[in-house]
Amino acid sequence: MKTAIEIISKTPLFNGLGEEALRKVSAITVRKDYDKGQIIFSEGDAGNGFYTIVSGRVKIFKVAPDGKEQILHIFGHGEPFGEVPVFTGRPFPATAQAIAGTGLLFFPKTAFVALIHQNPSLALSMLGVLSLRLREFTVQIENLSLKEVPGRLSSYLLYLSDEQENPDTVKLAISKSQIASLLGTIPETLSRIFTKMAAARLIRVQGGDIRLLDRCGLEDLAENGKLQ
Amino acid sequence: MKTAIEIISKTPLFNGLGEEALRKVSAITVRKDYDKGQIIFSEGDAGNGFYTIVSGRVKIFKVAPDGKEQILHIFGHGEPFGEVPVFTGRPFPATAQAIAGTGLLFFPKTAFVALIHQNPSLALSMLGVLSLRLREFTVQIENLSLKEVPGRLSSYLLYLSDEQENPDTVKLAISKSQIASLLGTIPETLSRIFTKMAAARLIRVQGGDIRLLDRCGLEDLAENGKLQ
DNA sequence: CGGCGTCCTTGACTTAAGTCAATAAAACCC
DNA sequence: GGGTTTTATTGACTTAAGTCAAGGACGCCG
């Protein structure tokens, strides 16, 4: 297992910190490990620190009383999460669950806030992280409110294509029911939309591999939000 | 018109700053005024600073190609907005429009970032503001994805009741079509839901005044997301 | 290799909410 | 105050997406 300082120095949040600052940051961290399926924190819990992901994968989600889930984020290597309670003093607004065996670094609130006082560029990094996340949320709200499911799926596929730097094939890293929950729908509907989009020669579905047959068509659908 | 320092000293974002720091902050501000309906910035514009509201009211929203709007926030006195480009270097993710005659203070990016370097507690304040906004967005996503329109309207009315500190009557400060856009629906649907909720003896609608007849019923509806 | 469980798909049906259109009610403005 | 514009309501209809239920594919483990 790598040391905390090795991990931190490769985490975007701590880019631009000097050797000395990195040492101080790593000194306050606590390593925590979770099995697949384990809950890291629940909506409503008080938070006394935040986390960054060393390995594995974490989903952040809300649940309706009827059990339907809405995924807010899926985070992977290097990404921080659970910061809201650190800066608001209010409880976690959502639940975090490991969706694979996961290693985390935990940053206790008081120690981290003290570091910010000594090191304003750490604050600016964190402001950047939170601002970017606000930006992502505006996109998610736009998708939920202004686009139908085919439009949301198109955006998601194009986003994956960008992320995976592959213009014509994307691999779905999470199960289709998790994708449904991320897109604000249910597995049955998502399955039907995959079929429809394949029939419209926009994509070809082979299990978890999706070929993007008509990027322009997908972009159009993602933009306009409606099929046809 | 009040001086910038008077205004700033009453803005929550700058609470906890000393006399000296307040003077420095106020020194970098620029006063800007907008007429009702005027666009302050548009989605995609580069931002070189953020704003706080001195007087009036601003809506932040996204528009679909077909013209449907989704309101993300409605901000009033003392509230900051437009921070995302300051900390990410990316363009505005949404559009801001004055929905009344509005006076703003503008904080240029570079000067503000310099102030943060001198004054880490300003950074912590800003982190608090952004974190709170993330929290609000998770609620909005939950509402859009997991609740039907009656549930969203109930939450909204209860939220207004809290804000106005009046347990049995709320005043709608914005038009019903703006509320529709805030709740992710259209005026026709909202109008029907008002009628249904009145028929279910949950509320009584008298123009822009809503009497909350059955708080428990409303809470239940807001919680469960479904009528009946 | 075979059986079990999870995930995915498909079909028939229901329903919440959107569309289009017409009217009613407010707000606005000389 | 009357006429104009915006905003709100109501009705008839359409549609996207959810529900319920059944069957199929796939991977996993003994």
Side-chain angles (χ1 to χ4, degrees):
Chain A
M1 188 151 67
K2 292 183 179 176
T3 62
I5 195 163
E6 284 177 305
I7 295 159
I8 287 173
S9 62
K10 286 175 199 139
T11 302
L13 176 60
F14 303 108
N15 276 354
L17 292 191
E19 187 71 19
E20 167 71 5
L22 280 175
R23 209 174 5 257
K24 281 185 180 169
V25 171
S26 67
I28 68 167
T29 64
V30 182
R31 170 85 190 200
K32 300 199 178 188
D33 290 276
Y34 293 85
D35 294 329
K36 178 176 175 172
Q38 220 180 328
I39 299 292
I40 300 163
F41 55 75
S42 293
E43 175 171 355
D45 288 357
N48 53 358
F50 72 97
Y51 304 81
T52 65
I53 300 183
V54 178
S55 66
R57 214 173 255 281
V58 171
K59 80 170 176 188
I60 312 288
F61 65 103
K62 293 235 185 198
V63 205
D66 71 0
K68 192 187 169 192
E69 287 183 5
Q70 171 66 43
I71 297 180
L72 300 171
H73 310 278
I74 294 197
F75 289 131
H77 177 254
E79 295 185 282
F81 67 93
E83 316 86 342
V84 169
V86 172
F87 303 112
T88 63
R90 313 215 40 208
F92 288 111
T95 301
Q97 181 180 27
I99 56 174
T102 293
L104 303 176
L105 285 182
F106 178 73
F107 298 77
K109 172 178 173 164
T110 39
F112 189 78
V113 170
L115 279 181
I116 283 185
H117 273 110
Q118 295 164 34
N119 205 323
S121 64
L122 183 54
L124 283 167
S125 264
M126 189 54 99
L127 284 166
V129 167
L130 298 189
S131 297
L132 215 52
R133 207 152 292 166
L134 278 172
R135 199 164 215 294
E136 286 163 11
F137 272 155
T138 68
V139 174
Q140 205 166 350
I141 290 170
E142 178 179 29
N143 285 341
L144 285 172
S145 168
L146 302 176
K147 292 181 190 168
E148 296 174 354
V149 179
R152 297 178 212 164
L153 179 55
S154 295
S155 315
Y156 182 65
L157 292 175
L158 291 168
Y159 159 80
L160 287 181
S161 162
D162 268 21
E163 196 182 55
Q164 297 171 15
E165 295 176 350
N166 187 331
D168 45 55
T169 310
V170 302
K171 284 189 181 300
L172 305 179
I174 53 176
S175 74
K176 287 180 185 168
S177 29
Q178 297 283 285
I179 293 174
S181 165
L182 191 60
L183 301 182
T185 186
I186 55 172
E188 292 96 316
T189 298
L190 184 68
S191 182
R192 285 184 241 269
I193 302 295
F194 266 125
T195 310
K196 265 195 196 171
M197 285 174 62
R201 307 231 174 282
L202 289 165
I203 55 172
R204 172 163 306 158
V205 186
Q206 291 147 337
D209 287 13
I210 315 288
R211 286 195 76 90
L212 310 185
L213 301 177
D214 178 2
R215 240 191 123 84
C216 290
L218 288 169
E219 278 160 6
D220 188 60
L221 187 53
E223 178 69 20
N224 289 298
K226 306 201 180 188
L227 199 56
Q228 285 147 28
Chain B
M1 187 151 68
K2 291 182 179 176
T3 63
I5 196 162
E6 284 176 306
I7 296 160
I8 287 172
S9 62
K10 285 175 198 138
T11 302
L13 176 62
F14 303 109
N15 275 354
L17 291 191
E19 187 71 20
E20 167 71 5
L22 280 176
R23 209 176 2 260
K24 280 186 180 170
V25 171
S26 68
I28 68 167
T29 65
V30 182
R31 170 85 188 200
K32 299 198 178 188
D33 290 276
Y34 293 85
D35 294 329
K36 177 174 175 175
Q38 220 180 328
I39 300 291
I40 299 163
F41 55 75
S42 295
E43 175 170 356
D45 288 357
N48 53 358
F50 71 96
Y51 304 81
T52 65
I53 300 182
V54 177
S55 66
R57 214 172 255 281
V58 172
K59 80 170 174 186
I60 313 289
F61 64 103
K62 293 234 184 199
V63 205
D66 71 359
K68 192 186 170 193
E69 288 183 5
Q70 171 65 45
I71 298 180
L72 300 171
H73 311 277
I74 294 197
F75 288 130
H77 178 254
E79 294 185 282
F81 66 94
E83 316 86 342
V84 168
V86 172
F87 303 112
T88 62
R90 314 214 39 209
F92 288 111
T95 300
Q97 181 181 27
I99 56 174
T102 294
L104 302 176
L105 285 182
F106 177 72
F107 297 77
K109 172 178 172 165
T110 40
F112 188 77
V113 168
L115 279 181
I116 284 185
H117 272 111
Q118 294 164 34
N119 205 324
S121 64
L122 184 55
L124 283 167
S125 266
M126 189 52 99
L127 285 166
V129 167
L130 298 190
S131 296
L132 216 51
R133 207 152 292 165
L134 278 172
R135 200 164 213 293
E136 286 163 11
F137 272 154
T138 67
V139 174
Q140 204 166 351
I141 291 171
E142 178 180 27
N143 285 342
L144 286 172
S145 167
L146 303 177
K147 292 181 190 167
E148 295 175 353
V149 180
R152 296 179 214 164
L153 179 55
S154 294
S155 316
Y156 182 66
L157 293 175
L158 292 168
Y159 160 81
L160 286 181
S161 163
D162 267 23
E163 195 182 56
Q164 297 171 15
E165 295 176 349
N166 187 332
D168 45 55
T169 311
V170 301
K171 284 190 182 302
L172 305 179
I174 53 176
S175 73
K176 287 179 186 169
S177 30
Q178 297 284 282
I179 294 175
S181 165
L182 191 60
L183 301 183
T185 186
I186 55 171
E188 292 96 317
T189 298
L190 184 68
S191 183
R192 285 183 241 269
I193 303 294
F194 266 125
T195 310
K196 266 194 194 171
M197 285 174 62
R201 305 231 175 283
L202 289 165
I203 55 173
R204 173 164 305 157
V205 186
Q206 291 146 338
D209 287 14
I210 315 288
R211 287 195 76 90
L212 311 185
L213 301 177
D214 177 2
R215 239 192 124 84
C216 290
L218 288 170
E219 279 161 4
D220 189 60
L221 188 53
E223 177 70 21
N224 290 297
K226 303 199 181 190
L227 199 57
Q228 283 149 28

